[in-house]
Amino acid sequence: MMSLILLKAKIPVVQHLNTLQRTDFIKTVRRKRLLARAECNYISLNVSDGDSVQQKEISDEGSENESDYERLTFAPKLRGPRQIEYTASVNNALSEEIPKDETQNKWEEQQIKRALKFPQDVYTAGSLCRTQHTKAKFDPLVSLPPIHVEVIKKRLTRRLTSLQDIHFSHQREYAKYIKDIEDSKSTIQELEKSSDATSNYKFYRTMNTYIGNLLNCLNEKICRINELESEMHSLLKQRAEILLKQRQEELRNESSFIQLLTRNGNSKESMQDDDKQKLSEDCEVQRGHRRRKRECSGEFDHHEGMSSDDEIPLTAMAEFQKKKDSILQDRENLFDDVHTDYCSLRSILLKFQHWKENFPDSYYDAYVSLCLPKLLNPLIRVQLIDWNPLEEDCMNLKEMVWFRYIEDFVHAKSISRFQRPDDPDENIVAKIIDKIIFPKITGFVDHVWDPLSASQTQRLVQVCKNVFEEYSFSETDSRKAKQDLLSVVISRMKKSVEDVFIPLYPKSSVEDRTSPHAKFQDRQFWSTVKLLSNILLWDGIIPEDTLQELGLNKLLNRYLLLILINTPSGLENVEKCKKVVECLPERWFRECEDGASLPQLSNFSQHLLVLARTFYKDNYSNEIKNVILLLVKVKSLRIADDFLEEHKMEHLKSILSK
């Protein structure tokens, strides 16, 4: 206790000593404090359970002394911040000289606080200055949370996945950079190999001049090209009109001649109209000439009225050939004053091919594939002036020179690395057919084609099939051109059906198959059968419902069936029915079910049933078999089976399964 009192008494004196005196005084105080500790005359901060009584006594005594100390004044009260800073510096110096443990520091702070009675904020600042360097010590007794292997594994897996993703992204970026470098190097090489700007400018300037001169040349010649094309078309149209007019005139005269015979009691001598008789005789002479010509060629199975083409008069034929030769000669002389580079399809296409191979970027940017069909249009039309798809010697499009040139240009393998996989030049042929071939064929169908001509119809159908099957037309304009062509075909066929004429005479007039009435009626019947055959040749091109309406509802049921019913039952009637069935496309009967034929053929099937019953009565077994075969071909199996069941003709049932 004495050491504590001395310490409290000496602390205020320290403030008035100089630095040397303070140091000596502090050393003296420390020596005395060490002696007091050695005598155990101090308050220990670590108190055990056994010293609880002693601790209580010391604390009571300390409280009494503390109250005494509070009443004593050892030093004047600090009045300003300088005094506070001075005290803090002294404490820092003491703490720096001799290292102290944490217990000693707390004890000294408590004593200084009691002696000086510092404000709480000042004391706290001083204590923080001394304790800020104290390091936290690890206590091994504190228990850590449990660690699971699965948690560590999951964390490592997530970390590994993240690193792999980053690695893959870096690899992709690296590959992209490598490819960009290679492309850049190849582009640099191509640019180094390419011609310089001067040669490029020279090429484009030359090409521009060439195209300008070509357009001027074609603009100057286009009027003459249109005239030649119109002259040839008019010439063919005029010949077709002559043939049509001749056929109508013969039909009118022969019909009038038969009517006069009927009114005058079949007496030719009493006939008043000698001109009509003479015309009828001339027609008969022409038929005899054609008949002998067919016999010489070995064609015996032929019926009057089914001739493929009518004969044009020799004078008219000579005039036609003369005009045609004149037009073709004018065509040959059309480009006599033009250099080959401007009138030859091959030369023109070579120019554009050179442009495409050497400067593909500007070639595609100029949309040459859209311009070439229009640019070549006049030159192609010149080549097609003498092209007639209705004639026997008509050349196929693929065999024409201009067509081969265009196909070679389209399918030429460009050496440029900039060639596109979807080359727009591949559509040039289709566009030429759309803009040139379709309109030309439409003109022939509308003004030149004769639907009654079997040879013309066969060639026209073949040309249309070739064009439709070999070239696909997906654009709206192409579909429109095709629909326009088919609409004209249907219109011409409807007009031909409306012009059909088959006279009906009393049975007394046609019983004699050699009479003029029977011959004229037969000729008109077979002419209508030929028209039916020509119309049904368009199966697969014209819609099926349109063909059935024209061929079955109008021609067969309105005209042909009426003549078949009025024709005496016999071999001639079976032959006529057989020719009618041969005209029908087999494709129509593939979907017939339940032993029933097409609804449009129900009346025709009933007529065949009547023929079979008539032959059964007359005991004509061969003719019955032929009629059953016809019923099988039109898929009227139910009618045939009922007939065979009715008449117990089991031996013919094997025909039904064929």
Side-chain angles (χ1 to χ4, degrees):
M1 294 298 294
M2 292 299 295
S3 62
L4 294 174
I5 295 173
L6 291 174
L7 179 62
K8 293 181 178 180
K10 294 297 181 178
I11 290 175
V13 181
V14 177
Q15 300 177 359
H16 303 284
L17 298 177
N18 54 26
T19 305
L20 182 59
Q21 291 175 347
R22 285 198 303 272
T23 303
D24 296 337
F25 179 78
I26 290 170
K27 292 180 178 180
T28 303
V29 171
R30 288 178 176 173
R31 285 195 298 271
K32 292 180 179 181
R33 187 171 65 241
L34 293 174
L35 293 175
R37 287 179 179 176
E39 296 176 357
C40 296
N41 191 10
Y42 66 95
I43 300 175
S44 177
L45 295 179
N46 296 328
V47 182
S48 62
D49 296 338
D51 298 336
S52 59
V53 177
Q54 183 179 357
Q55 181 180 2
K56 182 177 181 182
E57 294 176 355
I58 295 174
S59 62
D60 294 338
E61 185 178 358
S63 61
E64 294 176 358
N65 295 333
E66 184 177 357
S67 61
D68 295 337
Y69 294 153
E70 290 177 355
R71 289 191 297 268
L72 296 176
T73 302
F74 293 94
K77 186 180 294 185
L78 294 175
R79 299 181 181 275
R82 290 184 179 180
Q83 294 177 349
I84 297 173
E85 292 176 0
Y86 175 76
T87 304
S89 62
V90 171
N91 295 333
N92 292 335
L94 292 174
S95 62
E96 290 176 359
E97 288 182 2
I98 302 175
K100 304 174 184 178
D101 56 2
E102 187 177 354
T103 304
Q104 182 178 354
N105 291 336
K106 287 183 179 181
W107 182 81
E108 290 179 358
E109 289 174 2
Q110 185 178 7
Q111 299 306 319
I112 294 172
K113 177 181 178 181
R114 289 178 180 178
L116 299 179
K117 295 184 179 179
F118 286 165
Q120 185 67 25
D121 54 350
V122 176
Y123 171 75
T124 304
S127 62
L128 290 175
C129 291
R130 290 193 299 270
T131 60
Q132 63 183 353
H133 299 288
T134 304
K135 295 183 179 179
K137 297 181 179 179
F138 176 74
D139 188 359
L141 299 178
V142 178
S143 62
L144 296 175
I147 300 175
H148 299 285
V149 178
E150 294 296 333
V151 176
I152 298 175
K153 184 177 179 181
K154 289 182 180 179
R155 291 180 180 177
L156 291 176
T157 304
R158 287 197 298 269
R159 180 61 176 169
L160 178 61
T161 304
S162 176
L163 293 176
Q164 287 178 348
D165 294 339
I166 296 173
H167 177 65
F168 292 153
S169 64
H170 290 169
Q171 284 183 336
R172 288 193 296 269
E173 291 180 359
Y174 176 75
K176 180 182 177 182
Y177 295 150
I178 293 298
K179 186 177 182 302
D180 292 341
I181 293 173
E182 293 177 355
D183 293 342
S184 301
K185 289 181 179 179
S186 60
T187 304
I188 292 173
Q189 292 177 358
E190 290 292 335
L191 293 176
E192 290 176 351
K193 294 179 181 179
S194 62
S195 56
D196 54 5
T198 304
S199 60
N200 294 347
Y201 173 76
K202 182 179 179 180
F203 170 78
Y204 289 127
R205 186 177 181 86
T206 304
M207 199 67 189
N208 184 34
T209 304
Y210 173 77
I211 294 176
N213 294 335
L214 178 61
L215 291 176
N216 293 334
C217 174
L218 296 178
N219 288 332
E220 184 179 351
K221 299 294 183 179
I222 190 65
C223 294
R224 184 54 182 163
I225 293 174
N226 293 335
E227 291 177 359
L228 294 176
E229 193 176 36
S230 178
E231 289 177 4
M232 180 61 74
H233 189 75
S234 299
L235 186 62
L236 296 173
K237 179 181 178 181
Q238 183 180 0
R239 186 181 67 170
E241 291 175 350
I242 291 174
L243 293 174
L244 179 61
K245 184 178 179 180
Q246 177 181 329
R247 184 189 306 133
Q248 292 176 347
E249 188 69 23
E250 291 178 358
L251 178 61
R252 190 183 302 109
N253 292 334
E254 191 165 5
S255 177
S256 300
F257 175 70
I258 299 300
Q259 290 178 359
L260 288 175
L261 288 177
T262 304
R263 284 199 302 267
N264 292 282
N266 295 339
S267 177
K268 295 183 181 180
E269 290 77 15
S270 61
M271 186 174 152
Q272 301 290 327
D273 199 338
D274 296 336
D275 294 337
K276 292 183 179 180
Q277 182 180 2
K278 184 176 183 303
L279 291 174
S280 178
E281 292 175 354
D282 292 340
C283 293
E284 189 64 31
V285 171
Q286 293 179 2
R287 295 191 195 99
H289 176 69
R290 289 196 293 267
R291 190 183 307 112
R292 289 190 296 270
K293 187 176 180 180
R294 288 192 299 270
E295 291 176 355
C296 294
S297 62
E299 185 179 356
F300 298 99
D301 186 15
H302 184 82
H303 301 278
E304 293 292 341
M306 294 192 69
S307 299
S308 296
D309 299 294
D310 296 325
E311 293 183 356
I312 191 171
L314 295 178
T315 55
M317 188 64 185
E319 185 68 19
F320 169 81
Q321 191 63 38
K322 181 180 178 181
K323 292 181 179 179
K324 181 179 178 180
D325 294 340
S326 176
I327 294 173
L328 296 179
Q329 185 62 36
D330 292 341
R331 183 191 67 175
E332 296 296 330
N333 301 332
L334 181 62
F335 292 102
D336 287 346
D337 57 343
V338 179
H339 193 272
T340 308
D341 290 344
Y342 299 95
C343 63
S344 172
L345 276 172
R346 181 177 179 81
S347 300
I348 296 173
L349 292 174
L350 285 177
K351 294 280 187 181
F352 284 96
Q353 186 174 354
H354 176 71
W355 183 6
K356 181 179 180 180
E357 292 178 353
N358 294 277
F359 305 94
D361 48 354
S362 61
Y363 177 87
Y364 290 115
D365 292 341
Y367 297 98
V368 178
S369 60
L370 298 178
C371 303
L372 269 181
K374 297 181 180 180
L375 187 65
L376 303 178
N377 182 292
L379 299 176
I380 296 175
R381 287 166 55 193
V382 170
Q383 301 296 324
L384 292 175
I385 285 179
D386 60 340
W387 182 67
N388 187 351
L390 305 177
E391 293 182 352
E392 184 178 0
D393 57 348
C394 173
M395 185 179 296
N396 192 1
L397 290 177
K398 287 188 174 182
E399 299 175 356
M400 296 184 178
V401 178
W402 64 268
F403 194 89
R404 292 201 302 268
Y405 287 159
I406 295 176
E407 280 198 330
D408 293 342
F409 170 78
V410 170
H411 299 103
K413 300 298 181 182
S414 177
I415 61 176
S416 174
R417 64 182 294 269
F418 295 98
Q419 187 179 15
R420 299 182 180 181
D422 52 343
D423 193 350
D425 289 347
E426 294 179 356
N427 298 324
I428 291 178
V429 176
K431 291 177 181 178
I432 289 176
I433 292 176
D434 173 45
K435 299 298 183 182
I436 302 176
I437 304 301
F438 275 163
K440 193 169 185 66
I441 296 176
T442 303
F444 275 101
V445 172
D446 195 14
H447 302 290
V448 183
W449 175 48
D450 181 13
L452 277 173
S453 174
S455 59
Q456 291 186 10
T457 305
Q458 291 172 1
R459 298 181 191 118
L460 182 61
V461 168
Q462 188 61 41
V463 169
C464 293
K465 284 184 177 180
N466 293 339
V467 174
F468 295 160
E469 292 176 359
E470 295 180 8
Y471 304 98
S472 59
F473 304 94
S474 58
E475 298 181 359
T476 304
D477 295 340
S478 299
R479 291 197 297 267
K480 182 179 182 302
K482 179 180 177 180
Q483 291 300 324
D484 291 343
L485 172 59
L486 298 182
S487 298
V488 174
V489 171
I490 295 173
S491 177
R492 288 301 311 277
M493 290 192 300
K494 287 182 178 180
K495 188 176 184 304
S496 299
V497 171
E498 293 173 357
D499 294 340
V500 170
F501 172 70
I502 302 179
L504 290 176
Y505 299 113
K507 287 187 178 181
S508 59
S509 300
V510 296
E511 284 180 353
D512 183 8
R513 306 309 298 170
T514 61
S515 64
H517 304 77
K519 289 182 178 180
F520 180 64
Q521 189 182 68
D522 286 345
R523 282 196 297 270
Q524 293 305 112
F525 174 85
W526 290 114
S527 178
T528 306
V529 171
K530 181 177 65 173
L531 179 60
L532 174 66
S533 176
N534 293 342
I535 290 176
L536 298 184
L537 284 176
W538 292 93
D539 180 52
I541 300 177
I542 303 297
E544 185 176 312
D545 54 348
T546 302
L547 292 181
Q548 291 180 357
E549 175 66 23
L550 292 175
L552 301 183
N553 289 341
K554 292 187 176 180
L555 284 181
L556 179 57
N557 294 331
R558 183 183 298 179
Y559 298 106
L560 298 178
L561 189 58
L562 188 60
I563 301 300
L564 291 173
I565 294 174
N566 292 328
T567 301
S569 300
L571 296 178
E572 182 182 355
N573 202 321
V574 175
E575 181 67 19
K576 290 180 179 180
C577 293
K578 183 179 178 181
K579 289 295 183 181
V580 171
V581 173
E582 289 177 355
C583 298
L584 304 177
E586 295 181 0
R587 186 176 62 88
W588 290 1
F589 304 102
R590 293 175 183 172
E591 298 180 358
C592 294
E593 298 178 354
D594 300 331
S597 182
L598 298 174
Q600 296 89 339
L601 294 177
S602 59
N603 294 332
F604 181 72
S605 299
Q606 291 297 327
H607 172 68
L608 293 177
L609 179 61
V610 171
L611 282 180
R613 289 174 177 172
T614 303
F615 291 141
Y616 180 78
K617 292 179 182 179
D618 296 337
N619 197 17
Y620 292 157
S621 59
N622 292 332
E623 284 71 13
I624 293 175
K625 182 179 179 180
N626 294 332
V627 173
I628 297 300
L629 286 173
L630 294 178
L631 288 172
V632 172
K633 287 183 178 180
V634 298
K635 297 300 180 180
S636 296
L637 302 179
R638 187 183 304 168
I639 295 177
D641 186 61
D642 293 343
F643 174 79
L644 296 178
E645 287 288 344
E646 179 184 356
H647 298 90
K648 308 298 181 181
M649 303 180 69
E650 302 293 337
H651 62 283
L652 295 179
K653 281 194 173 182
S654 59
I655 301 176
L656 301 180
S657 60
K658 293 183 179 180

